[in-house]
Amino acid sequence: MIQQKVISKRFGKVDPLSIDSYIKFDGYNALEKALTMHPTQIIDEIEKSKIRGRGGAGFPAHIKARALANAKQPKYIVCNADEGEPGNFKDRIIMENDPFSILEGMVILAYATGAKKGYIYIRGEYQNAIKIMKMTIQNAIDKGYLGENILNKGFDFNLEIRTGAGSYVVGEEFSMIESIEGKPGRSRVKPPYPTDKGIHDKPTLINNVETFANFPHIILMGGDNYAKIGTPSSTGTKLISLSGNVKNKGLYEVPFGTSIRDVIFKLGDGVSYNRSIKMVQLGGASGPIIPEYMLDMAIDFERFENFDSKTGTGAIIVIDERFDIFDILLINMNFFVHQSCGKCAPCREGHTQIVNLLNKIKNHRGTEQDLMSLENLANVIQQTSLCGLGQTSMTSIISSLRYFRDDYFAKVRY
Amino acid sequence: MVNLKINNIDIQAKENTTILEAARQNHIDIPTLCNYPDLSIKSECRVCVVEINGQKKLHTSCSTVVKDGMVVKTNSPKVLNSRKTIIELILANHDANCTACPKNYNCELQSLANKLGIDKNRFPTVLDIQPIDNENPVLIRNINRCIKCGRCIDMCKNVQSMGVLDVMGRSKDMKITPAYGKFLTDEFCTYCGQCSSVCPVGAIIENDDTDRVWEALNNPSLHVIVQVAPAVRVSLGEELGMEPGSIVTEKVVAALKYLGFDGVFDTDFTADLTIIEEGNELIERITNGGTLPMMTSCCPGWINFAEQKYPEILDNISSCKSPQQMFGALAKSYYPKKMKLKPDDIFVVSIMPCTAKKYEAQRDEMKIDNVHSDVDVVLTTRELGKMIRQMGINFENIEEVPFDKPFGITTGAAAIFGATGGVMEAALRTVYEVVNKEELTDINFTAVRGTEGIKEAEVEIGGQKIKVAVAHTLENAKTLSEQVKNGTSPYTFIEIMTCPGGCIGGGGQPYGTTKAVRDKRIEAIYQVDENMPIRKSHKNPDIIALYDEYLLKPLGKKSHHLLHTHYSSRKK
Amino acid sequence: MKIKEILSKYPKESEYLIEILLEIQSSSKNHYISSEDVEQISKYLDIPESQICSVTSFYTLLSMNPKGRYVIQVCHDVPCFVNDTTSIYEKLVDMLAIEDGETTEDNLFTLEITECLGCCNEAPAMRVNDQVYTSLTPKKVEKIVKDLRGEEK
């Protein structure tokens, strides 16, 4: 089987609203085990597992955890469930199918780092997930798995749900911190990093939903065993949100190293009506657009880093031969025009001009000079923007200029 | 110390220095736009980006701290191209009709574009023209020129605790406006003008009244007189190209004469008068159980603030008009009588470091005949600078001339009104001697000087020790006002100034005012005080004469009519 | 629920502003925050109205203008676009006679093009108030709108 179900092993098999059902299916075994360990041992296991963050950027999880463990009180843990990147739905499905695993992962990390307070920040569009997570928290408190004196081990961890109110950029760490403080989600200057100065300037660790859901498994199987899954540089499994023009759209869990082609054709059963693939966008609106001939590429952080983007979220959007790349690029760019927070000049002003240039080229009115302006502006936005939004929004443009240059030349006037 | 290389030059910098600071200390220029001394580092415009070896992305030098072994390039082709592109982007969403902008030649965006060699824009304009907020007498907001640097918000929200302006919307639709995009009104804005003094472009400027003054000056049937505020004599030179802190008292007089004013007077005179009235009011309140602590009333921004936010404490505020308005009242009563002129023929202009004075002058309470404003037009230091430039006056070399009579003699006590703590010190010099009936051995009350936010002192008056406090900026005014409102204020007398540093840091002062510049102006103003032959208001012979021949006595009937006023709540 | 009751549930700390705004809005029939609400919140949290407007105008799920009883948000991102969301949007425009950002004259419907709803596995998708509808076809949309209209009668 190409799928390897670790995080998704309970999906569809447990009642997401029942803590008893969760416990029956190995739930909270990891927490029980973790509480017998020394907090630093837990972080050691995370380090051995070599797990990298599942929110897209792929930052090694143990580095943040250790930084928070070494930080002074008060300190906070945040679960980033503001899944706004188009093409991604994995975090929603985890929340809706196995919500206790997220809580268990958070409590384990709280114990390991000494944090006493945490937040789960869920985008406002996910009303169902918000309801489920609220109930989950209450159930966990009632059964002693959360709140004061967890499992009678004299350790406290309180969780609060924060609801997003419609902003993509809040998925970025500092924007989320600002939003948790009740402000518009506009990022801050880095450094200092959140683990030094986060919520109310106190140390804060932010991980993605999927990252937290991995921790119980790391504790149960041990870091070394976990590291055997996947590839040496990208360990473990990855949830893949497969969408677009495939027959079987859906969420699949595969070990790192699986090829994109296998996901599309073996799991997704190929393109509907057996049309050919024009392009595939990886990661979401901020990810690269690659041509069909690159589909043998393995799903792997090292490969993704070539694209300078949040490809690591694991979204694969398949787009068939009927579509024009400029329509796809324009949807992406209009998305960023709408989602830029407006704080820094290149991002605020740049995306509008990118849209202007794309429209011009799409409508055969663009010149070679416009093509150069587009390339130049895309690079400036990527290199000078304040936060991850502007630093990654140009990935689809830059990759399209690399892999679909002929599409541009076909439209540009000479 | 940290060792690094900038543009191939070996540089040593202190720990925690930013690349920008380290570069400037070594005379390497990195252009900036949103950056402003004393305000928070915003890192928003991204103009100051530099290339750091081993890093793929460019980093803003204003926010990046130096590290040992760092190799920085401030002007590589990549950096220069990025800067240029960013400025072109900003210009494409900016009303760049420079010659139709009051900030022409005084605009940071314009100079930057010029410096970077931008003579055409690769990007078409995307400006969506918005209405101009010009319905108040003080400030004009033209958001078509706004580049969203956020300096004004920093001033309004953090320094002044007002939060009138904030960021509305996001992305390309982001605007800096009051709530709901409303226009400024006296219901919620104090008109302190600090926003206008830090705006890098022409998005917030004072309402230009120079044309009204030219018109009056050219009207032969008008007798046009002018008063000059204490703080202007240490800042107008700077506006006209001289060093910050240059003392130009009599150059100002000469320039005003050259412009054609019929009488050039010193607001210092009515500052002395304020001390006599206010000092007596304080003594009266202390001895007769009046409302205490008494709070000063010469700052119109503070009066607006109190009327909007603290109507509960209006009784604590001295009923004395400000020196500007005392002058206005005398100019339309005592002066015409003495000069045998008709009050209606007199046109009174003020030169103020302040924007809120424009509002104060047109208040209904400031019309002794209930019809005409006592002060007809208020110009800021910057506006007077404009008139002097229009007239082609060589200000630096102009021959100095003294102020005109009958308000000719002034004191050092009045001059220091321009700095935070100055009104307090001037009042103490007088109250101490009047009540204690003994001469002060040291007239310098240094405890109330300096730029600390809230200063305290203790003085013995009439055998009892009283505590006084001095605050500048509305954030600090808020702290003291809360105490007064809650009945927990330990003070007897409180001086409040709206602007950082007092009037020398007023919203109408030359652009580029920073803490360092304010310090120089303050130093200069105490120098003016030191140089004066008389340094106590009650020793001013012209003031004594004014009481003898016209006002009769402090807090008397005439004083009450001309020199005192009242306040009313504007709280929603 | 009255605004005072909602406010009293929250500590007087500005970090709860967004939660407060969301709750006030969801208690409003027309899905918006009125200027009276803003005034009350300003007093309760002791923050300027401009700060509240700044937050309200930043987040797309918050509105300072009244909307229809049903806010229909159609996703228009790539996964939905390549699954023909355009026909869904056009069907709605056709049935409601309004476009993106507009409200029907009877104040029943507001139509909005929105960002990814995270339902790409069942694209195309739309949301009506808090209810998500997926795997849409123009026919399905027709039924949904008819049902909503029927509910009102």
Side-chain angles (χ1 to χ4, degrees), chain B residues 204-496:
Chain B
I204 310 183
I205 38 164
E206 69 269 53
N207 191 9
D208 186 331
D209 286 310
T210 54
D211 279 347
R212 286 177 61 206
V213 176
W214 284 125
E215 208 177 299
L217 287 170
N218 291 321
N219 182 341
S221 62
L222 288 179
H223 179 86
V224 187
I225 62 171
V226 61
Q227 58 168 322
V228 183
V232 174
R233 69 207 61 202
V234 295
S235 63
L236 185 69
E238 194 182 319
E239 172 68 25
L240 294 161
M242 295 168 71
E243 281 301 304
S246 304
I247 301 169
V248 292
T249 317
E250 298 198 334
K251 287 186 198 296
V252 182
V253 182
L256 289 166
K257 293 249 171 195
Y258 193 96
L259 292 178
F261 285 97
D262 298 307
V264 180
F265 303 106
D266 195 347
T267 312
D268 281 17
F269 180 81
T270 39
D272 277 330
L273 187 57
T274 302
I275 289 303
I276 304 303
E277 291 291 325
E278 196 162 305
N280 279 287
E281 186 184 353
L282 178 65
I283 296 165
E284 150 93 20
R285 287 192 191 211
I286 294 173
T287 39
N288 294 337
T291 309
L292 288 173
M294 188 172 92
M295 303 175 96
T296 57
S297 60
C298 22
C299 172
W302 150 241
I303 296 298
N304 288 339
F305 178 76
E307 289 185 326
Q308 290 161 7
K309 308 264 176 182
Y310 290 96
E312 305 87 350
I313 65 170
L314 291 179
D315 283 346
N316 292 79
I317 299 175
S318 161
S319 66
C320 288
K321 286 182 185 172
S322 69
Q324 157 171 284
Q325 293 307 139
M326 286 197 181
F327 181 89
L330 291 178
K332 298 271 171 95
S333 57
Y334 169 74
Y335 180 74
K337 202 168 164 188
K338 191 156 176 106
M339 305 294 285
K340 303 196 168 48
L341 293 161
K342 277 194 287 182
D344 283 1
D345 290 343
I346 293 172
F347 192 89
V348 180
V349 177
S350 303
I351 312 298
M352 294 285 143
C354 177
T355 48
K357 287 280 173 198
K358 284 180 187 271
Y359 175 81
E360 182 188 57
Q362 54 88 63
R363 287 177 70 120
D364 282 339
E365 298 87 345
M366 302 303 166
K367 297 170 180 169
I368 53 166
D369 62 1
N370 293 321
V371 182
H372 305 98
S373 292
D374 299 338
V375 173
D376 294 280
V377 177
V378 178
L379 299 182
T380 62
T381 311
R382 297 190 292 254
E383 285 170 276
L384 177 59
K386 180 183 168 184
M387 288 182 76
I388 291 173
R389 280 190 294 268
Q390 281 175 315
M391 210 50 170
I393 297 171
N394 181 346
F395 185 77
E396 208 171 334
N397 299 312
I398 200 168
E399 201 174 318
E400 303 193 344
V401 180
F403 281 109
D404 287 326
K405 291 183 181 345
F407 312 118
I409 301 173
T410 61
T411 73
I416 58 173
F417 263 58
T420 165
V423 177
M424 177 60 70
E425 182 168 346
L428 292 179
R429 287 180 191 174
T430 288
V431 171
Y432 183 92
E433 294 199 351
V434 169
V435 177
N436 295 0
K437 297 193 169 52
E438 65 176 46
E439 199 161 328
L440 270 167
T441 42
D442 180 7
I443 70 163
N444 299 320
F445 287 86
T446 47
V448 296
R449 295 186 184 181
T451 51
E452 207 182 308
I454 296 174
K455 294 164 278 186
E456 283 186 330
E458 211 171 52
V459 208
E460 201 171 308
I461 304 273
Q464 71 179 99
K465 284 208 161 150
I466 64 159
K467 278 182 103 174
V468 299
V470 172
H472 59 131
T473 78
L474 292 174
E475 171 73 31
N476 294 317
K478 191 174 166 185
T479 308
L480 296 186
S481 300
E482 278 295 324
Q483 292 174 354
V484 174
K485 183 177 147 186
N486 300 333
T488 57
S489 178
Y491 309 111
T492 303
F493 187 32
I494 296 172
E495 175 203 298
I496 293 192

Side-chain angles (χ1 to χ4, degrees), chain A residues 65-124:
Chain A
R66 217 176 290 281
L68 192 75
N70 293 333
K72 276 193 211 133
Q73 299 283 1
K75 47 189 164 186
Y76 306 103
I77 285 180
V78 179
C79 173
N80 184 343
D82 189 63
E83 187 176 53
E85 185 76 46
N88 287 275
F89 44 86
K90 65 182 178 76
D91 296 340
R92 174 178 62 82
I93 290 188
I94 303 173
M95 287 189 279
E96 290 177 353
N97 287 280
D98 195 12
F100 286 101
S101 69
I102 304 164
L103 255 51
E104 189 177 356
M106 289 187 79
V107 176
I108 290 170
L109 202 70
Y111 174 71
T113 59
K116 293 185 170 65
K117 169 114 198 221
Y119 298 87
I120 304 178
Y121 190 105
I122 311 174
R123 66 188 300 224

Side-chain angles (χ1 to χ4, degrees), chain B residues 78-136:
Chain B
K78 191 168 158 185
V79 166
L80 290 181
N81 173 55
S82 296
R83 267 183 210 145
K84 210 171 157 180
T85 305
I86 291 168
I87 294 299
E88 284 177 274
L89 287 171
I90 293 173
L91 286 168
N93 195 9
H94 170 78
D95 180 356
N97 189 0
C98 293
T99 51
C101 174
K103 289 292 280 285
N104 192 20
Y105 275 79
N106 221 339
C107 168
E108 296 177 40
L109 178 62
Q110 188 185 40
S111 344
L112 199 51
N114 187 30
K115 204 186 222 171
L116 296 174
I118 295 171
D119 43 20
K120 59 177 184 296
N121 198 338
R122 282 172 287 176
F123 307 112
T125 179
V126 291
L127 182 66
D128 174 23
I129 297 281
Q130 300 293 315
I132 296 167
D133 171 1
N134 57 0
E135 290 176 4
N136 71 78

Side-chain angles (χ1 to χ4, degrees), chain A residues 291-308:
Chain A
E292 202 272 342
Y293 67 80
M294 286 180 74
L295 295 184
D296 292 316
M297 193 177 119
I299 295 166
D300 184 305
F301 284 112
E302 268 188 343
R303 295 302 308 272
F304 290 162
E305 273 159 16
N306 292 333
F307 295 113
D308 236 344

Side-chain angles (χ1 to χ4, degrees), chain C residues 33-51:
Chain C
I33 294 141
S34 69
S35 55
E36 292 78 27
D37 295 334
V38 171
E39 208 180 311
Q40 294 287 331
I41 301 168
S42 164
K43 280 183 185 150
Y44 185 77
L45 296 178
D46 190 23
I47 52 173
E49 289 189 9
S50 63
Q51 191 178 330

